[in-house]
Amino acid sequence: MTDTPMAKLRHDPNGIAQAARLLRDGRLVAFPTETVYGLGADATNDRAVAEIYAAKGRPSFNPLIVHVADGEAATRLCHFNADADRLSGAFWPGALTLVLPLRADAGISKLVTAGLDTLAVRVPDHPVAHDFLRAFKGPIAAPSANPSGRVSPTTAAHVEAGLGNRIAGLVDGGACPVGLESTIVACVEQPALLRAGGIPTEALEACLGQPLLIAEDPATPTAPGQLASHYAPHGAVRLNATSVEVGETLLGFGRVDVPLNLSPTGDLTEAAANLFKHLHALDAMGVTKIAVSPIPDHGLGQAINDRLRRAAAPRP
């Protein structure tokens, strides 16, 4: 817990400057990206990065994503190959994280990489994140700004409810437009999908001209979001529900007449943007059993189903 109240900061020059000062002082600052709110720390400061793990209650073997202002900054941290060049050129800034070999002189805390010789890095596409990175003038380690394993935050209110007494500052940039974490692709050897996310797999494969390998081991994560149980609301989750059992509340999709519907029209982009918001709403309602309508497993539906499967997994 912090010894001073969390500073609520606006997206204006004064607020961004204060956020950057807090980061330089080794403090934690939450800020919005187009995907979800991130919990930022100076990626070169061991103690500050350790504070991320402590604030979130996050396992130290689970690596963090580093956010940078532009592709040039990323090349100073990592070695890029032709596949990484192609993907970053097409999707940065945006909801794509690349896992790349770490340069020996990058200066990134080993706590960020969980001791691995690779780094997860991305260039976010959000005006607040962009201004924050420019003001800080360095790499920012930033996992989602929520207690580990719980529902990711897509508004400042979500962050304050989950971590408000554990961080120094929060920049309010409104609701996150994508609403799902970034897609993660490793470009070390053959490109491999480590986590489905805000950019559909089909778009990445079209850019590369080849299919992505599927590389995932929940026991030894090489990137964020690979733990078997993750993104979990307080209530138990049952997937692919075509009926509602006693005591359940339905999280709908498509032509289902319920108060909480990811997208009544079956729009996967709308569903992705609403997923974490609706899970937070179910928590606020005190729901103990959640049934979820079937979600098509293509495009952004792949990422939505990934989050829901992890939310429904047995809790550690």
Side-chain angles (χ1 to χ4, degrees), residues 15-78:
I16 294 296
Q18 185 176 349
R21 284 195 298 271
L22 287 169
L23 226 62
R24 284 191 286 270
D25 288 342
R27 311 293 295 281
L28 303 183
V29 177
F31 64 99
T33 75
E34 72 278 21
T35 58
V36 299
Y37 272 73
L39 180 58
D42 179 351
T44 68
N45 183 327
D46 288 336
R47 185 178 179 85
V49 174
E51 290 292 338
I52 288 179
Y53 287 101
K56 284 176 62 69
R58 183 185 178 97
S60 60
F61 58 81
N62 196 5
L64 306 176
I65 293 174
V66 166
H67 296 66
V68 293
D70 51 41
E72 182 180 352
T75 63
R76 293 195 291 270
L77 301 178
C78 302

Short mmCIF file of all heavy atoms in Angstrom, two decimals, residues 15-78:
data_model
loop_
_atom_site.label_atom_id
_atom_site.label_comp_id
_atom_site.label_asym_id
_atom_site.label_seq_id
_atom_site.Cartn_x
_atom_site.Cartn_y
_atom_site.Cartn_z
N GLY A 15 -1.06 16.96 -15.89
CA GLY A 15 -1.29 15.60 -15.41
C GLY A 15 -0.26 14.62 -15.95
O GLY A 15 0.25 13.77 -15.21
N ILE A 16 0.06 14.73 -17.24
CA ILE A 16 1.05 13.84 -17.84
C ILE A 16 2.44 14.09 -17.26
O ILE A 16 3.19 13.14 -16.98
CB ILE A 16 1.07 14.02 -19.37
CG1 ILE A 16 -0.26 13.54 -19.98
CG2 ILE A 16 2.23 13.26 -20.00
CD1 ILE A 16 -0.55 12.07 -19.79
N ALA A 17 2.78 15.35 -17.03
CA ALA A 17 4.09 15.67 -16.44
C ALA A 17 4.19 15.11 -15.03
O ALA A 17 5.24 14.58 -14.63
CB ALA A 17 4.31 17.18 -16.42
N GLN A 18 3.10 15.21 -14.25
CA GLN A 18 3.12 14.65 -12.90
C GLN A 18 3.25 13.13 -12.94
O GLN A 18 3.98 12.54 -12.14
CB GLN A 18 1.86 15.05 -12.14
CG GLN A 18 1.87 14.61 -10.68
CD GLN A 18 0.64 15.09 -9.91
OE1 GLN A 18 -0.12 15.92 -10.40
NE2 GLN A 18 0.45 14.55 -8.71
N ALA A 19 2.55 12.50 -13.88
CA ALA A 19 2.64 11.04 -14.01
C ALA A 19 4.07 10.62 -14.34
O ALA A 19 4.59 9.65 -13.78
CB ALA A 19 1.68 10.56 -15.09
N ALA A 20 4.72 11.35 -15.25
CA ALA A 20 6.10 11.02 -15.61
C ALA A 20 7.05 11.20 -14.43
O ALA A 20 7.97 10.41 -14.23
CB ALA A 20 6.54 11.89 -16.79
N ARG A 21 6.81 12.24 -13.62
CA ARG A 21 7.66 12.47 -12.42
C ARG A 21 7.50 11.31 -11.44
O ARG A 21 8.49 10.84 -10.86
CB ARG A 21 7.29 13.80 -11.74
CG ARG A 21 7.81 15.03 -12.45
CD ARG A 21 7.74 16.25 -11.54
NE ARG A 21 6.37 16.58 -11.17
CZ ARG A 21 5.56 17.38 -11.87
NH1 ARG A 21 6.00 17.91 -13.01
NH2 ARG A 21 4.35 17.64 -11.46
N LEU A 22 6.28 10.86 -11.24
CA LEU A 22 6.06 9.74 -10.33
C LEU A 22 6.80 8.50 -10.82
O LEU A 22 7.42 7.78 -10.03
CB LEU A 22 4.56 9.44 -10.22
CG LEU A 22 3.72 10.43 -9.42
CD1 LEU A 22 2.23 10.16 -9.61
CD2 LEU A 22 4.09 10.38 -7.94
N LEU A 23 6.76 8.25 -12.13
CA LEU A 23 7.45 7.10 -12.68
C LEU A 23 8.96 7.22 -12.47
O LEU A 23 9.63 6.25 -12.11
CB LEU A 23 7.12 6.95 -14.16
CG LEU A 23 6.77 5.54 -14.64
CD1 LEU A 23 5.52 5.03 -13.94
CD2 LEU A 23 6.56 5.52 -16.14
N ARG A 24 9.50 8.42 -12.72
CA ARG A 24 10.95 8.62 -12.53
C ARG A 24 11.35 8.45 -11.07
O ARG A 24 12.50 8.10 -10.77
CB ARG A 24 11.36 10.01 -13.04
CG ARG A 24 11.44 10.09 -14.57
CD ARG A 24 12.11 11.36 -15.03
NE ARG A 24 11.23 12.52 -14.87
CZ ARG A 24 10.38 12.96 -15.79
NH1 ARG A 24 10.27 12.33 -16.95
NH2 ARG A 24 9.64 14.02 -15.57
N ASP A 25 10.40 8.69 -10.16
CA ASP A 25 10.67 8.52 -8.73
C ASP A 25 10.50 7.06 -8.28
O ASP A 25 10.56 6.77 -7.08
CB ASP A 25 9.73 9.41 -7.91
CG ASP A 25 10.09 10.89 -8.01
OD1 ASP A 25 11.23 11.19 -8.42
OD2 ASP A 25 9.22 11.73 -7.69
N GLY A 26 10.25 6.16 -9.23
CA GLY A 26 10.11 4.76 -8.89
C GLY A 26 8.72 4.36 -8.43
O GLY A 26 8.55 3.28 -7.85
N ARG A 27 7.73 5.20 -8.70
CA ARG A 27 6.36 4.92 -8.28
C ARG A 27 5.57 4.24 -9.39
O ARG A 27 6.01 4.19 -10.54
CB ARG A 27 5.66 6.22 -7.85
CG ARG A 27 6.46 7.09 -6.90
CD ARG A 27 6.65 6.45 -5.53
NE ARG A 27 5.40 6.28 -4.82
CZ ARG A 27 4.77 7.26 -4.17
NH1 ARG A 27 5.28 8.48 -4.13
NH2 ARG A 27 3.63 7.01 -3.53
N LEU A 28 4.39 3.76 -9.07
CA LEU A 28 3.52 3.09 -10.03
C LEU A 28 2.41 4.04 -10.48
O LEU A 28 1.78 4.71 -9.65
CB LEU A 28 2.88 1.85 -9.40
CG LEU A 28 3.82 0.78 -8.86
CD1 LEU A 28 3.01 -0.41 -8.35
CD2 LEU A 28 4.82 0.33 -9.92
N VAL A 29 2.16 4.06 -11.78
CA VAL A 29 1.11 4.91 -12.35
C VAL A 29 0.30 4.10 -13.35
O VAL A 29 0.85 3.49 -14.26
CB VAL A 29 1.71 6.14 -13.07
CG1 VAL A 29 0.60 6.97 -13.72
CG2 VAL A 29 2.51 7.00 -12.10
N ALA A 30 -1.01 4.07 -13.18
CA ALA A 30 -1.89 3.39 -14.12
C ALA A 30 -2.30 4.37 -15.21
O ALA A 30 -2.53 5.56 -14.94
CB ALA A 30 -3.12 2.85 -13.40
N PHE A 31 -2.41 3.86 -16.44
CA PHE A 31 -2.74 4.72 -17.58
C PHE A 31 -3.48 3.90 -18.64
O PHE A 31 -3.32 2.68 -18.72
CB PHE A 31 -1.47 5.34 -18.16
CG PHE A 31 -0.51 4.34 -18.75
CD1 PHE A 31 -0.47 4.10 -20.12
CD2 PHE A 31 0.36 3.61 -17.94
CE1 PHE A 31 0.41 3.18 -20.67
CE2 PHE A 31 1.23 2.68 -18.48
CZ PHE A 31 1.27 2.46 -19.85
N PRO A 32 -4.29 4.56 -19.47
CA PRO A 32 -5.05 3.81 -20.46
C PRO A 32 -4.24 3.54 -21.72
O PRO A 32 -3.40 4.33 -22.13
CB PRO A 32 -6.21 4.76 -20.77
CG PRO A 32 -5.62 6.12 -20.59
CD PRO A 32 -4.64 5.98 -19.45
N THR A 33 -4.50 2.40 -22.32
CA THR A 33 -4.07 2.12 -23.69
C THR A 33 -5.34 1.78 -24.47
O THR A 33 -6.44 1.76 -23.91
CB THR A 33 -3.07 0.96 -23.77
OG1 THR A 33 -3.77 -0.27 -23.59
CG2 THR A 33 -1.97 1.10 -22.73
N GLU A 34 -5.20 1.52 -25.77
CA GLU A 34 -6.39 1.15 -26.54
C GLU A 34 -6.93 -0.21 -26.13
O GLU A 34 -8.10 -0.52 -26.38
CB GLU A 34 -6.09 1.18 -28.04
CG GLU A 34 -5.22 0.06 -28.55
CD GLU A 34 -3.73 0.29 -28.34
OE1 GLU A 34 -3.34 1.10 -27.45
OE2 GLU A 34 -2.94 -0.33 -29.06
N THR A 35 -6.11 -1.04 -25.47
CA THR A 35 -6.54 -2.39 -25.09
C THR A 35 -7.18 -2.38 -23.70
O THR A 35 -8.38 -2.53 -23.57
CB THR A 35 -5.35 -3.36 -25.15
OG1 THR A 35 -4.30 -2.89 -24.28
CG2 THR A 35 -4.83 -3.48 -26.57
N VAL A 36 -6.37 -2.23 -22.65
CA VAL A 36 -6.86 -2.11 -21.27
C VAL A 36 -5.96 -1.10 -20.56
O VAL A 36 -4.97 -0.63 -21.10
CB VAL A 36 -6.82 -3.48 -20.53
CG1 VAL A 36 -7.71 -4.50 -21.22
CG2 VAL A 36 -5.40 -4.00 -20.40
N TYR A 37 -6.32 -0.76 -19.32
CA TYR A 37 -5.45 0.10 -18.52
C TYR A 37 -4.22 -0.69 -18.08
O TYR A 37 -4.31 -1.85 -17.68
CB TYR A 37 -6.18 0.63 -17.28
CG TYR A 37 -6.94 1.91 -17.54
CD1 TYR A 37 -8.11 1.91 -18.29
CD2 TYR A 37 -6.49 3.14 -17.04
CE1 TYR A 37 -8.81 3.08 -18.54
CE2 TYR A 37 -7.18 4.32 -17.28
CZ TYR A 37 -8.34 4.27 -18.03
OH TYR A 37 -9.02 5.46 -18.28
N GLY A 38 -3.05 -0.05 -18.17
CA GLY A 38 -1.81 -0.66 -17.75
C GLY A 38 -1.32 -0.09 -16.44
O GLY A 38 -1.61 1.06 -16.10
N LEU A 39 -0.57 -0.91 -15.70
CA LEU A 39 0.04 -0.47 -14.45
C LEU A 39 1.52 -0.24 -14.72
O LEU A 39 2.30 -1.18 -14.83
CB LEU A 39 -0.15 -1.52 -13.35
CG LEU A 39 0.46 -1.17 -11.99
CD1 LEU A 39 -0.11 0.14 -11.46
CD2 LEU A 39 0.22 -2.30 -11.00
N GLY A 40 1.91 1.03 -14.86
CA GLY A 40 3.22 1.37 -15.37
C GLY A 40 4.28 1.57 -14.30
O GLY A 40 4.02 2.10 -13.22
N ALA A 41 5.50 1.15 -14.64
CA ALA A 41 6.69 1.40 -13.84
C ALA A 41 7.87 1.56 -14.79
O ALA A 41 7.84 1.07 -15.93
CB ALA A 41 6.97 0.27 -12.85
N ASP A 42 8.90 2.23 -14.33
CA ASP A 42 10.14 2.37 -15.09
C ASP A 42 10.73 0.98 -15.32
O ASP A 42 11.11 0.27 -14.38
CB ASP A 42 11.12 3.24 -14.30
CG ASP A 42 12.46 3.44 -14.99
OD1 ASP A 42 12.73 2.78 -16.01
OD2 ASP A 42 13.25 4.26 -14.48
N ALA A 43 10.80 0.56 -16.59
CA ALA A 43 11.22 -0.80 -16.91
C ALA A 43 12.69 -1.05 -16.63
O ALA A 43 13.14 -2.20 -16.68
CB ALA A 43 10.91 -1.11 -18.38
N THR A 44 13.46 -0.01 -16.33
CA THR A 44 14.87 -0.17 -16.03
C THR A 44 15.16 -0.17 -14.52
O THR A 44 16.30 -0.35 -14.12
CB THR A 44 15.70 0.95 -16.69
OG1 THR A 44 15.40 2.21 -16.06
CG2 THR A 44 15.40 1.05 -18.18
N ASN A 45 14.12 0.01 -13.71
CA ASN A 45 14.26 0.17 -12.27
C ASN A 45 13.78 -1.10 -11.57
O ASN A 45 12.59 -1.38 -11.51
CB ASN A 45 13.45 1.39 -11.81
CG ASN A 45 13.59 1.68 -10.33
OD1 ASN A 45 13.75 0.80 -9.51
ND2 ASN A 45 13.49 2.97 -9.98
N ASP A 46 14.73 -1.89 -11.03
CA ASP A 46 14.38 -3.17 -10.40
C ASP A 46 13.34 -3.00 -9.30
O ASP A 46 12.36 -3.76 -9.22
CB ASP A 46 15.62 -3.84 -9.82
CG ASP A 46 16.55 -4.40 -10.88
OD1 ASP A 46 16.08 -4.68 -11.99
OD2 ASP A 46 17.74 -4.57 -10.58
N ARG A 47 13.56 -2.04 -8.44
CA ARG A 47 12.65 -1.86 -7.30
C ARG A 47 11.26 -1.47 -7.76
O ARG A 47 10.25 -1.97 -7.24
CB ARG A 47 13.21 -0.81 -6.34
CG ARG A 47 12.37 -0.66 -5.08
CD ARG A 47 12.97 0.37 -4.12
NE ARG A 47 12.15 0.51 -2.92
CZ ARG A 47 12.24 -0.27 -1.87
NH1 ARG A 47 13.13 -1.24 -1.84
NH2 ARG A 47 11.46 -0.07 -0.82
N ALA A 48 11.18 -0.58 -8.76
CA ALA A 48 9.88 -0.15 -9.27
C ALA A 48 9.14 -1.32 -9.90
O ALA A 48 7.92 -1.50 -9.69
CB ALA A 48 10.05 0.98 -10.28
N VAL A 49 9.86 -2.14 -10.67
CA VAL A 49 9.23 -3.31 -11.29
C VAL A 49 8.76 -4.29 -10.22
O VAL A 49 7.68 -4.88 -10.33
CB VAL A 49 10.18 -3.97 -12.29
CG1 VAL A 49 9.57 -5.26 -12.84
CG2 VAL A 49 10.51 -3.02 -13.44
N ALA A 50 9.56 -4.46 -9.19
CA ALA A 50 9.15 -5.34 -8.09
C ALA A 50 7.85 -4.86 -7.46
O ALA A 50 7.03 -5.67 -7.01
CB ALA A 50 10.25 -5.42 -7.04
N GLU A 51 7.65 -3.54 -7.44
CA GLU A 51 6.42 -2.98 -6.88
C GLU A 51 5.20 -3.38 -7.71
O GLU A 51 4.10 -3.52 -7.17
CB GLU A 51 6.53 -1.46 -6.78
CG GLU A 51 7.50 -0.96 -5.72
CD GLU A 51 7.03 -1.26 -4.31
OE1 GLU A 51 5.82 -1.46 -4.11
OE2 GLU A 51 7.89 -1.30 -3.40
N ILE A 52 5.38 -3.56 -9.03
CA ILE A 52 4.27 -4.04 -9.87
C ILE A 52 3.82 -5.41 -9.38
O ILE A 52 2.63 -5.66 -9.17
CB ILE A 52 4.68 -4.13 -11.35
CG1 ILE A 52 4.82 -2.74 -11.96
CG2 ILE A 52 3.65 -4.94 -12.14
CD1 ILE A 52 5.25 -2.77 -13.43
N TYR A 53 4.78 -6.33 -9.22
CA TYR A 53 4.44 -7.68 -8.78
C TYR A 53 3.76 -7.66 -7.41
O TYR A 53 2.80 -8.39 -7.16
CB TYR A 53 5.70 -8.55 -8.73
CG TYR A 53 6.22 -8.93 -10.10
CD1 TYR A 53 7.30 -8.27 -10.68
CD2 TYR A 53 5.64 -9.98 -10.81
CE1 TYR A 53 7.78 -8.62 -11.93
CE2 TYR A 53 6.12 -10.35 -12.07
CZ TYR A 53 7.19 -9.67 -12.61
OH TYR A 53 7.67 -10.03 -13.85
N ALA A 54 4.26 -6.80 -6.52
CA ALA A 54 3.70 -6.72 -5.17
C ALA A 54 2.28 -6.15 -5.21
O ALA A 54 1.38 -6.66 -4.53
CB ALA A 54 4.59 -5.87 -4.28
N ALA A 55 2.08 -5.08 -5.98
CA ALA A 55 0.76 -4.44 -6.04
C ALA A 55 -0.29 -5.36 -6.63
O ALA A 55 -1.44 -5.41 -6.16
CB ALA A 55 0.85 -3.15 -6.84
N LYS A 56 0.09 -6.12 -7.65
CA LYS A 56 -0.86 -7.00 -8.33
C LYS A 56 -1.01 -8.35 -7.65
O LYS A 56 -1.98 -9.07 -7.89
CB LYS A 56 -0.41 -7.22 -9.78
CG LYS A 56 -0.68 -6.06 -10.71
CD LYS A 56 -0.13 -6.32 -12.11
CE LYS A 56 -0.78 -7.51 -12.79
NZ LYS A 56 -2.20 -7.30 -13.17
N GLY A 57 -0.01 -8.72 -6.81
CA GLY A 57 0.03 -10.09 -6.31
C GLY A 57 0.32 -11.05 -7.45
O GLY A 57 -0.19 -12.16 -7.51
N ARG A 58 1.20 -10.63 -8.37
CA ARG A 58 1.48 -11.37 -9.60
C ARG A 58 2.66 -12.31 -9.40
O ARG A 58 3.67 -11.93 -8.79
CB ARG A 58 1.80 -10.36 -10.71
CG ARG A 58 2.06 -10.96 -12.09
CD ARG A 58 2.49 -9.84 -13.04
NE ARG A 58 2.80 -10.29 -14.39
CZ ARG A 58 1.96 -10.26 -15.41
NH1 ARG A 58 0.73 -9.80 -15.22
NH2 ARG A 58 2.32 -10.67 -16.61
N PRO A 59 2.59 -13.54 -9.91
CA PRO A 59 3.74 -14.45 -9.81
C PRO A 59 4.96 -13.86 -10.52
O PRO A 59 4.85 -13.33 -11.62
CB PRO A 59 3.26 -15.72 -10.52
CG PRO A 59 1.78 -15.64 -10.53
CD PRO A 59 1.45 -14.18 -10.59
N SER A 60 6.12 -13.97 -9.89
CA SER A 60 7.33 -13.35 -10.46
C SER A 60 7.86 -14.08 -11.67
O SER A 60 8.75 -13.57 -12.35
CB SER A 60 8.42 -13.27 -9.39
OG SER A 60 8.75 -14.55 -8.92
N PHE A 61 7.32 -15.30 -11.97
CA PHE A 61 7.76 -16.01 -13.17
C PHE A 61 6.95 -15.62 -14.40
O PHE A 61 7.16 -16.15 -15.48
CB PHE A 61 7.68 -17.53 -12.96
CG PHE A 61 6.30 -18.03 -12.62
CD1 PHE A 61 5.35 -18.24 -13.61
CD2 PHE A 61 5.96 -18.30 -11.31
CE1 PHE A 61 4.08 -18.69 -13.29
CE2 PHE A 61 4.69 -18.77 -10.99
CZ PHE A 61 3.75 -18.96 -11.98
N ASN A 62 6.01 -14.68 -14.23
CA ASN A 62 5.13 -14.26 -15.33
C ASN A 62 5.67 -12.95 -15.91
O ASN A 62 5.59 -11.91 -15.27
CB ASN A 62 3.71 -14.08 -14.79
CG ASN A 62 2.68 -14.02 -15.89
OD1 ASN A 62 2.98 -14.20 -17.06
ND2 ASN A 62 1.43 -13.77 -15.52
N PRO A 63 6.25 -12.95 -17.13
CA PRO A 63 6.89 -11.76 -17.66
C PRO A 63 5.92 -10.61 -17.90
O PRO A 63 4.70 -10.80 -17.95
CB PRO A 63 7.52 -12.23 -18.97
CG PRO A 63 7.19 -13.65 -19.14
CD PRO A 63 6.32 -14.10 -18.03
N LEU A 64 6.48 -9.42 -18.08
CA LEU A 64 5.71 -8.20 -18.30
C LEU A 64 5.92 -7.68 -19.73
O LEU A 64 6.95 -7.94 -20.35
CB LEU A 64 6.13 -7.11 -17.32
CG LEU A 64 6.10 -7.46 -15.83
CD1 LEU A 64 6.64 -6.30 -15.01
CD2 LEU A 64 4.69 -7.82 -15.38
N ILE A 65 4.96 -6.92 -20.22
CA ILE A 65 5.10 -6.22 -21.50
C ILE A 65 5.72 -4.85 -21.25
O ILE A 65 5.34 -4.15 -20.31
CB ILE A 65 3.74 -6.07 -22.20
CG1 ILE A 65 3.20 -7.43 -22.62
CG2 ILE A 65 3.84 -5.15 -23.41
CD1 ILE A 65 1.79 -7.39 -23.19
N VAL A 66 6.66 -4.49 -22.11
CA VAL A 66 7.25 -3.15 -22.07
C VAL A 66 6.63 -2.31 -23.19
O VAL A 66 6.56 -2.75 -24.35
CB VAL A 66 8.78 -3.22 -22.22
CG1 VAL A 66 9.36 -1.85 -22.54
CG2 VAL A 66 9.40 -3.76 -20.94
N HIS A 67 6.18 -1.12 -22.84
CA HIS A 67 5.60 -0.19 -23.81
C HIS A 67 6.63 0.87 -24.17
O HIS A 67 7.31 1.41 -23.28
CB HIS A 67 4.36 0.48 -23.22
CG HIS A 67 3.24 -0.49 -22.94
ND1 HIS A 67 3.33 -1.48 -21.99
CD2 HIS A 67 2.01 -0.60 -23.49
CE1 HIS A 67 2.20 -2.17 -21.97
NE2 HIS A 67 1.38 -1.66 -22.87
N VAL A 68 6.73 1.17 -25.44
CA VAL A 68 7.67 2.19 -25.92
C VAL A 68 6.94 3.14 -26.86
O VAL A 68 5.85 2.84 -27.36
CB VAL A 68 8.89 1.56 -26.64
CG1 VAL A 68 9.74 0.77 -25.66
CG2 VAL A 68 8.45 0.67 -27.79
N ALA A 69 7.57 4.28 -27.11
CA ALA A 69 6.90 5.35 -27.86
C ALA A 69 6.82 5.08 -29.35
O ALA A 69 5.89 5.54 -30.01
CB ALA A 69 7.62 6.68 -27.61
N ASP A 70 7.79 4.33 -29.90
CA ASP A 70 7.80 4.09 -31.34
C ASP A 70 8.68 2.90 -31.66
O ASP A 70 9.35 2.34 -30.79
CB ASP A 70 8.27 5.35 -32.11
CG ASP A 70 9.58 5.90 -31.58
OD1 ASP A 70 10.49 5.09 -31.26
OD2 ASP A 70 9.72 7.14 -31.49
N GLY A 71 8.65 2.51 -32.93
CA GLY A 71 9.42 1.35 -33.35
C GLY A 71 10.90 1.52 -33.18
O GLY A 71 11.62 0.55 -32.87
N GLU A 72 11.40 2.73 -33.36
CA GLU A 72 12.84 2.97 -33.18
C GLU A 72 13.27 2.67 -31.76
O GLU A 72 14.34 2.07 -31.53
CB GLU A 72 13.17 4.42 -33.54
CG GLU A 72 14.65 4.75 -33.44
CD GLU A 72 14.96 6.19 -33.78
OE1 GLU A 72 14.04 6.91 -34.25
OE2 GLU A 72 16.12 6.61 -33.58
N ALA A 73 12.43 3.07 -30.78
CA ALA A 73 12.74 2.77 -29.38
C ALA A 73 12.76 1.26 -29.15
O ALA A 73 13.58 0.75 -28.39
CB ALA A 73 11.72 3.43 -28.47
N ALA A 74 11.87 0.52 -29.82
CA ALA A 74 11.85 -0.94 -29.67
C ALA A 74 13.12 -1.58 -30.21
O ALA A 74 13.63 -2.55 -29.64
CB ALA A 74 10.62 -1.51 -30.37
N THR A 75 13.64 -1.05 -31.31
CA THR A 75 14.86 -1.63 -31.89
C THR A 75 16.08 -1.41 -31.00
O THR A 75 17.07 -2.12 -31.13
CB THR A 75 15.14 -1.06 -33.29
OG1 THR A 75 15.38 0.35 -33.20
CG2 THR A 75 13.98 -1.33 -34.24
N ARG A 76 16.01 -0.44 -30.11
CA ARG A 76 17.12 -0.24 -29.17
C ARG A 76 17.09 -1.26 -28.03
O ARG A 76 18.07 -1.43 -27.31
CB ARG A 76 17.08 1.18 -28.60
CG ARG A 76 17.37 2.27 -29.63
CD ARG A 76 17.69 3.60 -28.97
NE ARG A 76 16.54 4.19 -28.32
CZ ARG A 76 15.68 5.03 -28.92
NH1 ARG A 76 15.87 5.37 -30.20
NH2 ARG A 76 14.66 5.55 -28.27
N LEU A 77 15.96 -1.94 -27.89
CA LEU A 77 15.81 -2.93 -26.83
C LEU A 77 15.93 -4.37 -27.33
O LEU A 77 16.36 -5.25 -26.59
CB LEU A 77 14.45 -2.77 -26.14
CG LEU A 77 14.15 -1.42 -25.50
CD1 LEU A 77 12.74 -1.43 -24.92
CD2 LEU A 77 15.16 -1.06 -24.43
N CYS A 78 15.53 -4.60 -28.59
CA CYS A 78 15.40 -5.96 -29.10
C CYS A 78 16.01 -6.10 -30.48
O CYS A 78 16.19 -5.12 -31.22
CB CYS A 78 13.91 -6.34 -29.21
SG CYS A 78 13.01 -6.24 -27.67
#
